[in-house]
Amino acid sequence: MLRFFLIMIFLICFHIVSIPIFFVEWILGKTIPAAREVSSLRIVQWALKVITWLAGVDLTVIGEENVPEDVPVLYIGNHRSNFDIVLTYARCPRPTGYVAKKEMLKIPLLSRWMKILHCQFLDRSDLRAGMKTILTCIDLVKNGVSITIFPEGTRGKGKDELDMLPFHEGSFKIASKSGCPIIPMAITGSSAIFEDHMPYVRRRHVTLEYGAPIRLSELTKEQQKAPGKYVQGVITDMLASHAA
């Protein structure tokens, strides 16, 4: 329980300190918007790296050279733990918004940081609102902001890492309409940090692999009809290699 309590204490302290920081970031956003983009990203990434350290995560990263730093991308990953966000967001080289469930809006201060960082809140029960979220993400990518989405729609809870839910094809309109590359992410072992034995946080080894960029325009016509199925296959192959 010690790691859990340390993380909770850190989060409380971070959110208290965030109150005056929000004011500074607001001023920066009014005067030098580009500077606020970078400062907000680095502040949150620092906090996430502290949480990773407190949790005792031993992280192996593969293929990070596949992530371009000069253009926005669509990150697509498998999802088994809330730590997937902690581990991946801490490594984003440029402003990146995550697509999160709308319930996150109810969490004070955290939701404020998420809004500053271009996160979008998805109402999974409203198809029209969901499409509006996707259109907003397309605009963000066109304006230089990367987007991360876990297209299973919720955390996978199967016993096997390869046991993923089907990817929602609508998520891939972000790439098809903006023309940005897709960066597949394969995350192995993250649920063993917390979800497999809540409320305990335990030291675990996690592998995060970034695959080669995928451009939908370069896929075959058949693959373009179901890009989610294709990208899920790429991620499945990476996950299988972690177990080999």
Side-chain angles (χ1 to χ4, degrees):
M1 291 292 286
L2 179 60
R3 294 185 189 277
F4 176 82
F5 284 123
L6 288 175
I7 291 172
M8 289 299 102
I9 291 170
F10 172 75
L11 285 173
I12 292 170
C13 292
F14 177 74
H15 282 98
I16 292 173
V17 173
S18 291
I19 296 174
I21 292 177
F22 284 142
F23 180 68
V24 175
E25 291 292 287
W26 179 80
I27 294 175
L28 197 58
K30 293 293 184 180
T31 55
I32 317 175
R36 193 193 76 162
E37 291 276 352
V38 176
S39 64
S40 296
L41 176 65
R42 300 310 176 208
I43 289 168
V44 171
Q45 287 183 322
W46 171 82
L48 296 178
K49 288 175 181 177
V50 172
I51 292 171
T52 301
W53 178 75
L54 290 172
V57 177
D58 176 19
L59 181 64
T60 296
V61 181
I62 303 170
E64 199 160 22
E65 67 278 3
N66 288 320
V67 181
E69 299 184 7
D70 57 340
V71 295
V73 303
L74 174 63
Y75 295 98
I76 294 289
N78 62 307
H79 188 33
R80 293 177 63 86
S81 170
N82 289 321
F83 270 89
D84 296 335
I85 295 94
V86 174
L87 299 174
T88 57
Y89 197 82
R91 310 194 73 84
C92 294
R94 57 184 297 117
T96 303
Y98 275 53
V99 176
K101 56 186 179 181
K102 70 170 185 176
E103 288 77 11
M104 298 296 291
L105 285 167
K106 299 177 182 178
I107 305 176
L109 298 180
L110 174 60
S111 61
R112 178 59 184 163
W113 273 118
M114 293 177 74
K115 289 178 181 179
I116 290 174
L117 295 168
H118 305 292
C119 291
Q120 300 300 308
F121 301 91
L122 181 65
D123 184 348
R124 292 173 290 186
S125 64
D126 188 332
L127 291 177
R128 181 175 294 181
M131 180 53 66
K132 185 177 180 180
T133 299
I134 295 298
L135 292 174
T136 300
C137 289
I138 293 169
D139 287 339
L140 285 170
V141 172
K142 288 181 178 179
N143 285 283
V145 178
S146 293
I147 294 293
T148 299
I149 191 165
F150 299 104
E152 291 172 88
T154 188
R155 287 191 294 108
K157 299 176 182 178
K159 292 183 179 181
D160 194 318
E161 297 276 1
L162 301 179
D163 185 15
M164 287 182 281
L165 298 168
F167 281 11
H168 293 293
E169 295 289 345
S171 306
F172 294 84
K173 291 185 181 296
I174 299 171
S176 63
K177 298 298 184 181
S178 69
C180 75
I182 295 171
I183 301 297
M185 301 187 298
I187 308 165
T188 301
S190 59
S191 64
I193 303 170
F194 181 60
E195 280 77 8
D196 289 351
H197 39 69
M198 294 190 292
Y200 300 99
V201 176
R202 292 178 177 167
R203 184 182 184 91
R204 289 293 186 266
H205 176 258
V206 177
T207 300
L208 167 61
E209 181 174 2
Y210 296 96
I214 299 170
R215 290 193 176 274
L216 296 184
S217 61
E218 297 175 356
L219 300 182
T220 66
K221 290 185 177 180
E222 195 64 30
Q223 291 167 340
Q224 289 180 27
K225 291 179 182 178
K229 182 178 180 181
Y230 174 78
V231 175
Q232 187 165 27
V234 172
I235 292 174
T236 297
D237 290 342
M238 290 193 289
L239 292 170
S241 72
H242 299 171

